[in-house]
Amino acid sequence: MICEKSGDGRDDCPKNGFPFEYELIRTRRRTISVCVDRLGKVTVRAPALCADERIFAFLTEKRAWIERRSARAKEAAKQGGILKEAEDGAMFLWLGERVKISLLDCENGAGAARKFTKKIGDTLYLPSENATKRLTDFLKKQAKIYLEKLTKECAEEMGAKYKSISVNSARSRWGSCSYDNKLHFSFRLMYAPPEVVRYVAIHELAHTFEKNHSARFWAIVARYEPDFRQKRAFLKQNAYYMDIF
């Protein structure tokens, strides 16, 4: 018997012959689908009254793809050092370089002098109190400074005009351009190397000319980023960056 999604959103499905665990979600839908997220978690969605045997058959058919995709995602996450919260001594990526977190104890006599967040070399110092929030706030601020300067330079090169730039916590998009040319970037984009960040800026600026992904749009991107396909491939292969903090 396949177990259902429990009240707390988790389940421990028996393997039923499969070398992977999965979460099963039954909804009012007509088809079965399977999704492997950026951390390798497998989620199966099926019609409410779908027979277990039909789901098993579907998973058997997709087994090779699921195993391959899940293993690839888990390995990428392991290599990249996925972190959900700031921990002393933990490492994360910033512009493609590894940065070490050093938490400071504000209660050991240092007082206000230690209530700061600052990056020195390859180490980021921050107070241990509300460390993860302090960290993400700091990263957003630094991302805004970096992206404003980079985007301005790229816009001048391209002859593009945009209305404003904002940095958010998006996990599904690296960047976007609104109908009135407001540019939005995820601060998580800053985990990628500088050349990849530049590609995303050029990509969004190209949307100030073309609001689609037509041949004309890609021609604009290629004019200023000839090897854009490699940059796109990098972002796709490293989508787990979206799950850091």
Side-chain angles (χ1 to χ4, degrees):
M1 178 178 180
I2 300 178
C3 58
E4 303 295 332
K5 183 177 181 182
S6 63
D8 62 1
R10 302 180 59 184
D11 58 49
D12 296 305
C13 288
K15 292 186 176 181
N16 295 303
F18 302 114
F20 53 83
E21 294 183 352
Y22 58 90
E23 177 183 46
L24 174 63
I25 301 175
R26 293 181 182 273
T27 60
R28 297 178 61 182
R29 57 182 294 143
R30 295 183 178 181
T31 60
I32 305 173
S33 69
V34 60
C35 174
V36 180
D37 71 12
R38 292 184 288 263
L39 299 180
K41 177 183 177 182
V42 181
T43 301
V44 179
R45 289 179 170 79
L49 300 179
C50 184
D52 291 352
E53 291 75 15
R54 182 183 169 193
I55 297 174
F56 294 157
F58 175 83
L59 290 176
T60 299
E61 179 185 350
K62 301 292 183 180
R63 176 173 171 170
W65 178 86
I66 294 171
E67 290 181 30
R68 184 170 62 252
R69 191 70 176 266
S70 182
R72 185 185 304 163
K74 289 179 179 178
E75 180 60 27
K78 180 181 178 181
Q79 293 298 323
I82 294 296
L83 294 174
K84 289 297 184 181
E85 58 185 46
E87 299 174 350
D88 189 54
M91 307 284 286
F92 71 97
L93 296 170
W94 188 252
L95 289 173
E97 300 292 333
R98 289 189 176 275
V99 176
K100 181 180 179 180
I101 296 173
S102 180
L103 298 182
L104 305 176
D105 183 2
C106 298
E107 304 302 325
N108 64 356
R114 287 208 165 193
K115 293 185 178 180
F116 68 90
T117 301
K118 188 172 185 179
K119 182 178 179 295
I120 302 176
D122 61 356
T123 301
L124 181 65
Y125 299 90
L126 70 157
S128 57
E129 184 180 358
N130 297 321
T132 301
K133 183 180 186 305
R134 289 177 184 271
L135 173 59
T136 53
D137 287 347
F138 176 79
L139 297 183
K140 289 176 186 177
K141 180 179 179 180
Q142 295 303 308
K144 182 79 179 299
I145 294 172
Y146 187 94
L147 286 164
E148 282 184 339
K149 182 176 183 296
L150 174 65
T151 305
K152 180 180 179 182
E153 293 172 350
C154 292
E156 291 175 351
E157 180 183 350
M158 299 170 67
K161 294 182 179 180
Y162 57 92
K163 193 169 184 178
S164 62
I165 292 177
S166 67
V167 171
N168 55 39
S169 301
R171 291 182 182 274
S172 58
R173 288 187 178 185
W174 302 106
S176 63
C177 176
S178 66
Y179 73 94
D180 56 350
N181 295 336
K182 293 179 180 178
L183 305 182
H184 308 279
F185 297 98
S186 171
F187 82 88
R188 295 178 173 86
L189 172 63
M190 298 297 293
Y191 299 140
E195 61 272 18
V196 175
V197 181
R198 171 184 156 85
Y199 155 67
V200 176
I202 288 175
H203 182 115
E204 300 311 331
L205 285 168
H207 279 308
T208 65
F209 299 106
E210 293 289 333
K211 301 297 185 187
N212 50 51
H213 289 101
S214 63
R216 287 188 298 180
F217 168 82
W218 289 114
I220 295 172
V221 174
R223 189 181 310 157
Y224 300 98
E225 194 64 52
D227 60 347
F228 72 89
R229 290 183 178 83
Q230 295 178 17
K231 308 300 192 305
R232 290 184 69 200
F234 177 92
L235 291 173
K236 186 173 183 179
Q237 292 166 4
N238 295 279
Y240 63 87
Y241 284 1
M242 286 290 191
D243 289 293
I244 301 177
F245 301 120

